[in-house]
Amino acid sequence: MAKDLFSTLDLNLLRTFLIVHQEKNTRKAAERLFVTQPAVSQALQKLRHHFGDDLFVKVHGGLQPTHFSEQLANELAPHMDGISNAVNSSYGFDPKEIDYPIKIALSPVVLACLSGSLYKNITQQAPNCKLELASWTTSSAEEIQKGDVLLGIAYQVPYISKEVYAQKLVDIEGRLFVRQEHPLKQAKVTPQDLAGYEIASLVTPGWNDSFSQASQILEAQSVPHRVAFRSEMLLAIIDVLLNSDMYMPHSNLFPIHNYPNLRAIDVDVEDEIKMVGVYSHIHIKNRNNPLLTWLNNVVQDALKEQLNK
């Protein structure tokens, strides 16, 4: 059985070998490797012992590789170049080179407000990517863990796995939306002004499945109220608003300019009550992934652009 020379070899020595083979001089090789000349000579000695070959012999003006050394260098060079390219490419990122599927799960609050701008911004920079924008569900965090979803955008989800890393992108401000002819005519109301009007609550799976934040605020201030309608589908809620005196708690992220039959109402409560963060959710292994860094920046820019409209 042939001796296995690879399993007991220090691979760092091979890089030294190739540099010496290129330079034919241990001093010049040491300068390129940022080590001392004795360190290069010591590495060569280890390789000579390992391979049972002189590798290089001294000649006038430098070193001459042996036949085995020439053969080894010719075999190693393309593989070492491949390793170099693999290592260096992991630090380089160009969205234009993306030609694979990207699946992003967006909460209902974000999905209906940013789908168009996100699609435009992402595909402009990554024209060959296969983008899928899905709705955030109760299983989205698990899908991130499994790698089925690359990125999730939602409120900060409680009781989430430590494998899912959440990072705040923006804070959004709570706001109410009603039909244009709604009896509430003020541009800004107090919680007490809402007494007697029913709530149409937008559900974000995994965040407010069993409660309404607006209902909690009104409950704390002893304001009579009732959640009369709940849905994950924004269009369903809008249809209900247009046919009732209900109001929808949403945020300044809502693209009111797209819905001329609706109008916004601000609520006079403390900022800490009406402000909520929107977070990106990724697998913790991807915290330093340049693709995710780029996607986070694109989403964050789109959120900020919408908030500033």
Side-chain angles (χ1 to χ4, degrees), residues 102 104-106 110 114 117-119 121-122 125 131 133 151-154 167-170 253 278-281 291-307:
I102 293 177
I104 303 175
L106 304 173
V110 179
L114 288 185
S117 60
L118 272 184
Y119 175 82
N121 293 347
I122 290 175
Q125 298 180 54
L131 182 63
L133 299 179
L151 173 66
I153 307 297
Q167 179 182 356
K168 182 186 285 189
L169 299 177
V170 294
L253 192 63
V278 175
Y279 289 75
S280 67
H281 298 79
L291 168 61
L292 270 300
T293 300
W294 169 71
L295 280 175
N296 260 348
N297 289 336
V298 172
V299 174
Q300 187 175 47
D301 288 345
L303 285 166
K304 290 180 177 179
E305 181 181 351
Q306 180 64 31
L307 291 174

Side-chain angles (χ1 to χ4, degrees), residues 146-261:
K146 293 179 179 179
D148 296 331
V149 170
L150 187 63
L151 173 66
I153 307 297
Y155 296 131
Q156 190 169 27
V157 181
Y159 314 115
I160 202 166
S161 167
K162 292 182 179 179
E163 291 182 31
V164 178
Y165 175 70
Q167 179 182 356
K168 182 186 285 189
L169 299 177
V170 294
D171 283 313
I172 58 178
E173 180 179 338
R175 190 170 288 173
L176 307 180
F177 294 88
V178 298
R179 62 186 177 92
Q180 285 285 3
E181 300 79 14
H182 195 281
L184 282 173
K185 300 301 182 183
Q186 307 97 304
K188 189 171 189 177
V189 298
T190 66
Q192 288 70 29
D193 293 327
L194 299 173
Y197 294 104
E198 295 176 326
I199 300 172
S201 180
L202 181 62
V203 177
T204 295
W207 185 71
N208 67 336
D209 302 274
S210 58
F211 74 94
S212 160
Q213 189 177 32
S215 175
Q216 290 183 335
I217 294 172
L218 295 176
E219 184 74 29
Q221 300 197 29
S222 301
V223 176
H225 66 282
R226 186 171 82 92
V227 179
F229 186 74
R230 289 168 54 83
S231 178
E232 297 177 20
M233 297 180 290
L234 181 63
L235 290 180
I237 293 183
I238 290 174
D239 194 40
V240 168
L241 293 183
L242 294 175
N243 291 279
S244 72
D245 286 340
M246 291 188 200
Y247 61 89
M248 174 184 66
H250 201 287
S251 69
N252 55 339
L253 192 63
F254 184 79
I256 187 65
H257 54 278
N258 291 338
Y259 300 93
N261 293 325

Side-chain angles (χ1 to χ4, degrees), residues 3-20:
K3 183 179 178 181
D4 183 0
L5 295 175
F6 180 79
S7 61
T8 58
L9 178 62
D10 180 353
L11 297 183
N12 288 318
L13 298 176
L14 293 181
R15 182 165 179 264
T16 300
F17 165 74
L18 286 174
I19 297 298
V20 172

